[in-house]
Amino acid sequence: MRVAIAGAGAVGRSIAQELVSDGHQVMLIERDWAHFEPHTVEQAEWVQADACELSSLEDAGMQLCDVVIAATGDDKVNLVVSLLAKTEFAVKRVVARVNDPANEWLFTESWGVDVAVSTPRILAAMVEEAVTVGDVVRLLTLRQGQANLVEITLPHDTPLAGEPVSELVLPRDAALVTILRGGRVIVPSVDDTFEGGDELLFVATAAVEQEIRSALGY
């Protein structure tokens, strides 16, 4: 893929390094000369420009990108970049960084955002996931809130121990996608069984999250 990243600070550079190592074409767009350091990610294309200016994005070739990542430390800039990428350049996938959780409600399809990534919210979810047993922990929001990736940890004395996965009756808008057991990642099949301490990952709509708990006996 060809990926444009607005913002070449620590976050933008780290994302660029990961994508380059995976074989993608990456363009870093940075306005501030203090952050314009091509030697830090030599395999990427660097553009010194204001990512909020339409002409600058046209000159940089934003219209050729498959994905745009708005990764600056300013939520206003990230929203403008997202909107321009989607409405002016018809970029298929727009990912935006949310710096202030209070602004998260703005990062929707209306502003051209396909995926909003809020670091504070993710960190909070990771803490909850580490200490919570039996409760639904929302790890990630997908498709502007249409579905969520949620996790439930089974207690060690769960009555489901030994029960086959095929016997679990889930609501219509929920799917069990992964079981984390020790160091293993299990893609559940009808022959797999539950064990105490299993971490179950579901993709589900918010409306049925509590029904998942009920299906697990909570």
Side-chain angles (χ1 to χ4, degrees):
M1 294 185 298
R2 180 168 174 79
V3 183
I5 302 174
V11 173
R13 291 197 304 270
S14 295
I15 297 171
Q17 288 169 343
E18 289 289 332
L19 292 173
V20 165
S21 66
D22 288 339
H24 300 295
Q25 296 179 333
V26 176
M27 175 174 62
L28 277 161
I29 305 173
E30 176 57 52
R31 179 184 62 180
D32 189 350
W33 277 110
H35 294 153
F36 196 80
E37 301 175 328
H39 66 278
T40 59
V41 191
E42 294 181 346
Q43 303 93 326
E45 175 188 352
W46 285 71
V47 177
Q48 201 283 317
D50 186 344
C52 291
E53 292 185 357
L54 184 59
S55 59
S56 297
L57 298 179
E58 288 176 341
D59 293 341
M62 180 75 78
Q63 64 274 13
L64 302 176
C65 293
D66 303 296
V67 179
V68 167
I69 303 174
T72 79
D74 188 325
D75 285 344
K76 296 187 296 296
V77 172
N78 290 343
L79 285 171
V80 172
V81 171
S82 299
L83 186 62
L84 291 176
K86 185 65 70 173
T87 60
E88 298 295 331
F89 299 101
V91 175
K92 296 178 182 178
R93 190 77 164 170
V94 177
V95 180
R97 172 189 177 188
V98 184
N99 296 278
D100 184 348
N103 296 329
E104 191 171 0
W105 66 277
L106 289 167
F107 286 74
T108 65
E109 192 176 55
S110 298
W111 278 93
V113 178
D114 294 308
V115 179
V117 180
S118 173
T119 302
R121 182 176 294 278
I122 291 174
L123 290 175
M126 292 300 103
V127 172
E128 292 179 2
E129 185 271 336
V131 301
T132 305
V133 174
D135 286 333
V136 176
V137 178
R138 188 174 297 174
L139 301 178
L140 188 64
T141 298
L142 308 171
R143 300 294 299 173
Q144 299 89 42
Q146 294 179 26
N148 301 304
L149 178 66
V150 300
E151 185 267 355
I152 299 179
T153 299
L154 298 179
H156 289 286
D157 60 350
T158 177
L160 289 176
E163 293 292 323
V165 170
S166 58
E167 294 297 317
L168 181 64
V169 180
L170 292 172
R172 178 178 179 180
D173 295 324
L176 174 63
V177 293
T178 304
I179 300 174
L180 304 180
R181 180 178 298 158
R184 299 176 59 201
V185 177
I186 302 170
V187 178
S189 67
V190 293
D191 297 324
D192 289 312
T193 57
F194 294 110
E195 293 184 10
D198 281 351
E199 297 178 48
L200 310 180
L201 270 64
F202 299 87
V203 173
T205 62
V208 301
E209 289 177 2
Q210 292 309 311
E211 293 182 48
I212 296 174
R213 291 188 75 244
S214 298
L216 295 172
Y218 296 110

